[in-house]
Amino acid sequence: MEHVPPPAEELALLDRELARLDAHRSQLLVRRAWLLSVLTPPARPPATAPTPFAAPYGPPAPFAAPFGPPAARAGAHSAQNVLLTLGGLLLTVAAIAFTLVSWGHLGIAGRSAVLGVVTLAALAAPAVLLRRGLSATAESLAALASVLMILDAYALHRVAVPEADGLGFAAAASAVLAVAWGGYGLLLGRLRLPLPLAVVSAQLPLLLWAWSAGAGASVFGWALLLTAALDCAIAVWGRGVAVRVTACAGCWTTGLLGLLVALTQSMSAETAAGAVGPAALLLAGAAVALFGAWRAPTGLAVAGGTLAGLCGVAAVGGVLRAGTAWGWSVPVYLLCGAVLLVAVRAPLPRPVGQGLLWASSAVTAAAVLFSAPPVGMSLMGTVSQLARVWSGVPDGGVRGALGTADVAWSHLAGAPVGLLMAAALLGLAHRSWDRLVRVAGPVFPPGTGRRGAAGAAASALCWAGLTALPAVLGLSYAAAVSVQLSLVAGAFAVAVLGLRRGAGALGTTALVCGMVGAVSAGFLALASQAATYAVFALVLVVLGAAAVLLDSALARAVRALPDARAGRAVQTLRVAQAVPACGAVVCAMVLARAAGASLGLDGYRAAPVLLVVPAVTALLGARLRGRPVALPVELTGAVAAVAAVLMALPDRPFLALVLALSGVLAAGTAVRAERRPVAGYLAVALFVLATWVRLSASGVSAPEAYTLPVTVPALAIGVLRRRRDPEASSWTAYGAGLAATLVPSLFAAWADPHWVRPLLLGVAALAITLAGARLRLQALLLLGGAVLAMDAVHELAPYVVQVVGALPRWLPPALAGVLLLVVGATYEQRLRDARRLKETVGRMR
């Protein structure tokens, strides 16, 4: 019997109704408790108003308004602050309006008297109010007095000294105001506004004076730096958190602006004498930063030490690099950054020393970043050879091969030197890590992880510097290829040595560099036929040797598996061994393709030559049975088989041949028990596909004459298999035999304009589908049903197109919408039907 609504829906309705009733009951209980508290007041009044209730399920809208006590009134202090703030703002606006708009209605005496009296009254009132405890009112009047003092200065300039320079008068007025506000804030220490206002006003005098004097950039830099020094002193010795925070913000703002001016001048100086002035400004900034960092909290101390170190490097490096080519500036600054590490032995607080260490690291990172473009051009430029494979040795040496003959390489001459210097520094740190930690003390963080990172970075930078060297030096094409091959061999040697010794970071980094270098060298070698064979053969040997050498290290690590660290080492070595092994297979694929091209074979004719690679990898997989590297090698070889199939697509006879040969390789691989589940099915599929392609290439219009002699014995063998093993899957017994005839016949039916073949195929598919349903055989049901559906679609498609063309255009969307509504309304039932269908099909064999 069908429930209306369905049971699941009815259960959900009941749950929602019970939840609503529970929420309503909770609301009534809370209301009852509050009414009891009102009717029976406590002996002592509560300090705060009762807290409104919060129902667990959220109250319904009709009961939300009348429940709960009235809301608490706003606090007296918050209302007072709002009123005082509004009053102060109104008085300030009135004073400004009086000064700017109504100024001309009074004489000189009246103006002075009004502003003077009002200002003195506003300044004197906070002292009286503070004695009576009205601090908020005093703050408001102090703010008003501050605005009036600015208006007094403006009035003084307009009336007393109108001929004075505006910027100069503003500089003097800001200095006087800063002193006045500072003294006023110190006199009335309970006021919080005057002292921060004094700090803000102190930022302007020197800058406005330099502006009024028409000073140059150097004077502006010194004005900013002196202002920053004053702010730093206030931040160290000032009273109150607000004063110190304001001074600290001003110090960083003006100091960084002044140092930016000095750095710009230092980098644009063409002579050492011209760089001395900016260097002095930078060193003065470093001194200010050290002074503040010495007494600052930890975070600011580290930032101050970093800024001081960067200023010192910029000052000394700017003098040393002046007069030299810009390309050599990076090594100069890098050398200064390395010398900065000597300062960590000075008696400095630990955060300041850490800041200097961060400054040296930042200089090194910046040097590496500025030296990276030649490396990128040397690596990425080789990709351009794909457009001119075997076009001959390019003109212009390696620069012509990279397509960068027009680049000004003379400006990049210092890039490899900078990279090699950074590599040397990091390598020295990696080698002498323990001594470095002892010398640097607590400033330098110990740890094997950081040591490994230093070694890895050193190897990467050394490889990068040597990679860019041929293009920078303008070497010939042959010399550049030789250098690239040497770098590949060296990188893999370092990788193998590091991984065998347990230096995972160093070995992994060298392995990545070696693979990137191998890819770049391979692209570069495509310019010449001889270079292609030489480079890929040598890279194949190097990668194979690396994989073999890592195999012994992997065996030793496996024997030490009880150790937890050894487990991680085993995983690293497995990946590290698989990478060069798969790379060697790729090199073999390139060599096989190159051999076909050298023999003058077209692409599809060279496809069988490429199948040599998966054949060799299958033999290697059998030889390496049980080794972790066997599966990656075989999968990479399978990629070569896929590439061969793609190459043979233009010619169907060769495609059938390649598919058949691939099936032979898969069948040979299926001999091994661990590969049989996948390789066996793949071999059958390839053989069947090869047969279909061969029939199509031969122009066969009746494939059943060739497929039925295969299908009948295959089905007979499947019947015998099912009798001996009733638990065997129907796909294993009948799947291949049925597909061998049904699929080619379906393709032929779709291309057949007559009705006989589709009718016979539909009848056969219907019979197979019914047999599968009757015997509960999944393969027969699904294969027959799919072929029957496709055959029906082919036959009904023209009529459907005609009907759709005759219908109004709005009708198909409307029908689709109705269908969606029906499905959505009965979604739960359709979902249960789908689950039952899935379970029924899944229970079939």
Side-chain angles (χ1 to χ4, degrees):
M1 177 178 177
E2 182 72 14
H3 290 78
V4 181
E9 236 180 86
E10 186 176 359
L11 180 60
L13 289 173
L14 291 176
D15 288 340
R16 285 196 293 270
E17 185 65 23
L18 290 174
R20 193 185 68 79
L21 292 175
D22 288 341
H24 194 185
R25 184 175 183 274
S26 301
Q27 295 166 6
L28 294 176
L29 289 174
V30 171
R31 180 65 176 177
R32 180 178 181 276
W34 182 76
L35 291 173
L36 288 176
S37 66
V38 171
L39 294 175
T40 347
R44 187 173 298 174
T48 58
T51 305
F53 76 96
Y57 296 98
F63 303 98
F67 291 162
R73 291 178 295 177
H77 291 292
S78 60
Q80 179 189 17
N81 291 334
V82 171
L83 293 176
L84 291 173
T85 303
L86 290 176
L89 288 175
L90 291 176
L91 287 176
T92 303
V93 171
I96 295 174
F98 169 75
T99 305
L100 298 179
V101 179
S102 302
W103 187 255
H105 298 289
L106 297 175
I108 182 71
R111 302 171 191 172
S112 303
V114 169
L115 277 179
V117 170
V118 173
T119 303
L120 290 176
L123 289 173
V128 179
L129 294 172
L130 286 175
R131 282 198 298 269
R132 297 188 177 184
L134 301 175
S135 57
T137 309
E139 290 286 351
S140 299
L141 289 179
L144 176 62
S146 302
V147 175
L148 290 175
M149 291 175 71
I150 299 174
L151 295 177
D152 285 338
Y154 170 75
L156 182 63
H157 176 260
R158 291 294 302 273
V159 174
V161 283
E163 70 281 355
D165 179 54
L167 290 174
F169 184 84
S174 59
V176 173
L177 287 175
V179 174
W181 281 332
Y184 186 69
L186 292 175
L187 182 63
L188 301 178
R190 293 172 59 184
L191 291 178
R192 292 175 292 180
L193 185 62
L195 289 178
L197 279 178
V199 175
V200 173
S201 181
Q203 313 301 309
L204 302 176
L206 292 177
L207 285 177
L208 293 177
W209 168 78
W211 193 1
S212 65
S218 298
V219 177
F220 266 100
W222 280 106
L224 288 166
L225 188 61
L226 290 176
T227 305
L230 176 62
D231 291 332
C232 184
I234 296 173
V236 172
W237 293 310
R239 289 173 48 184
V241 177
V243 174
R244 293 187 175 188
V245 170
T246 306
C248 187
C251 177
W252 280 100
T253 303
T254 56
L256 289 177
L257 289 175
L259 293 175
L260 183 61
V261 172
L263 180 63
T264 304
Q265 288 188 316
S266 176
M267 297 182 70
S268 60
E270 298 181 356
T271 61
V276 171
L281 182 56
L282 288 168
L283 290 176
V288 173
L290 281 178
F291 171 78
W294 203 288
R295 297 163 179 81
T298 302
L300 289 176
V302 173
T306 304
L307 182 61
L310 293 175
C311 290
V313 171
V316 179
V319 175
L320 295 178
R321 68 133 216 108
T324 62
W326 179 250
W328 293 98
S329 299
V330 172
V332 173
Y333 284 112
L334 180 60
L335 184 62
C336 296
V339 174
L340 183 63
L341 291 176
V342 180
V344 299
R345 289 294 296 162
L348 298 172
R350 180 179 181 181
V352 179
Q354 290 177 343
L356 295 178
L357 183 62
W358 277 108
S360 178
S361 303
V363 171
T364 304
V368 171
L369 185 63
F370 279 105
S371 302
V375 182
M377 288 188 288
S378 299
L379 293 175
M380 301 302 297
T382 57
V383 182
S384 62
Q385 291 300 325
L386 289 174
R388 46 181 186 272
V389 177
W390 289 5
S391 59
V393 177
D395 298 331
V398 65
R399 295 178 182 175
L402 297 176
T404 57
D406 298 333
V407 176
W409 286 96
S410 58
H411 295 166
L412 305 173
V417 179
L419 291 172
L420 293 176
M421 286 176 58
L425 293 173
L426 291 171
L428 181 62
H430 173 75
R431 184 176 182 82
S432 307
W433 188 266
D434 297 333
R435 183 173 180 272
L436 187 62
V437 172
R438 287 197 305 271
V439 170
V443 174
F444 207 79
T448 55
R450 294 184 178 89
R451 179 177 186 177
S459 64
L461 292 177
C462 180
W463 169 81
L466 295 175
T467 298
L469 201 57
V472 172
L473 296 178
L475 298 181
S476 64
Y477 175 77
V481 172
S482 302
V483 171
Q484 292 285 356
L485 285 176
S486 302
L487 288 177
V488 171
F492 277 103
V494 173
V496 171
L497 186 62
L499 290 170
R500 287 169 68 92
R501 291 183 177 180
L506 174 61
T508 303
T509 304
L511 182 66
V512 173
C513 293
M515 290 302 299
V516 174
V519 174
S520 177
F523 283 134
L524 188 62
L526 294 178
S528 170
Q529 182 175 356
T532 300
Y533 282 108
V535 168
F536 280 96
L538 289 174
V539 172
L540 172 62
V541 172
V542 170
L543 294 176
V548 171
L549 291 174
L550 289 174
D551 186 68
S552 59
L554 178 60
R556 287 199 304 269
V558 169
R559 288 194 292 269
L561 265 181
D563 186 6
R565 295 180 60 187
R568 292 193 295 270
V570 166
Q571 297 299 327
T572 302
L573 285 172
R574 284 179 178 175
V575 176
Q577 185 189 18
V579 169
C582 296
V585 177
V586 174
C587 291
M589 293 168 55
V590 176
L591 290 173
R593 180 65 185 93
S598 298
L599 294 174
L601 301 176
D602 295 332
Y604 65 91
R605 293 182 181 274
V609 180
L610 197 61
L611 291 178
V612 175
V613 177
V616 174
T617 56
L619 295 175
L620 280 176
R623 178 68 178 84
L624 299 172
R625 182 176 297 180
R627 303 288 182 85
V629 74
L631 182 60
V633 168
E634 292 183 75
L635 290 177
T636 310
V639 173
V642 174
V645 171
L646 295 177
M647 290 171 58
L649 284 177
D651 189 88
R652 285 183 290 178
F654 265 90
L655 177 60
L657 174 62
V658 171
L659 289 171
L661 293 175
S662 301
V664 171
L665 295 177
T669 305
V671 174
R672 295 155 50 195
E674 69 274 12
R675 300 286 186 262
R676 188 170 302 148
V678 176
Y681 288 110
L682 181 61
V684 173
L686 289 172
F687 282 133
V688 173
L689 189 58
T691 303
W692 295 342
V693 173
R694 182 66 260 183
L695 293 176
S696 174
S698 301
V700 175
S701 59
E704 294 82 4
Y706 299 90
T707 58
L708 282 175
V710 177
T711 297
V712 172
L715 293 178
I717 294 173
V719 171
L720 295 176
R721 169 72 184 275
R722 290 273 298 173
R723 285 181 179 179
R724 294 177 57 184
D725 183 13
E727 297 299 323
S729 172
S730 61
W731 290 101
T732 305
Y734 309 118
L738 290 174
T741 294
L742 289 178
V743 176
S745 298
L746 179 62
F747 280 105
W750 271 63
D752 194 342
H754 304 291
W755 59 271
V756 178
R757 184 191 300 276
L759 177 61
L760 295 177
L761 179 62
V763 171
L766 177 61
I768 293 172
T769 304
L770 294 176
R774 176 67 179 83
L775 301 175
R776 304 182 62 79
L777 296 177
Q778 190 179 104
L780 275 68
L781 178 64
L782 296 183
L783 276 175
V787 172
L788 180 61
M790 296 296 293
D791 188 63
V793 167
H794 173 264
E795 292 302 306
L796 296 177
Y799 303 103
V800 173
V801 170
Q802 292 178 4
V803 171
V804 171
L807 292 176
R809 294 190 176 184
W810 57 266
L811 190 57
L815 294 176
V818 171
L819 178 62
L820 291 176
L821 288 176
V822 172
V823 173
T826 59
Y827 177 75
E828 294 292 337
Q829 183 63 34
R830 302 289 77 78
L831 197 60
R832 288 193 293 271
D833 294 341
R835 290 197 188 101
R836 284 197 297 270
L837 179 61
K838 179 183 177 182
E839 293 171 359
T840 302
V841 175
R843 286 194 296 268
M844 294 182 178
R845 297 301 302 170

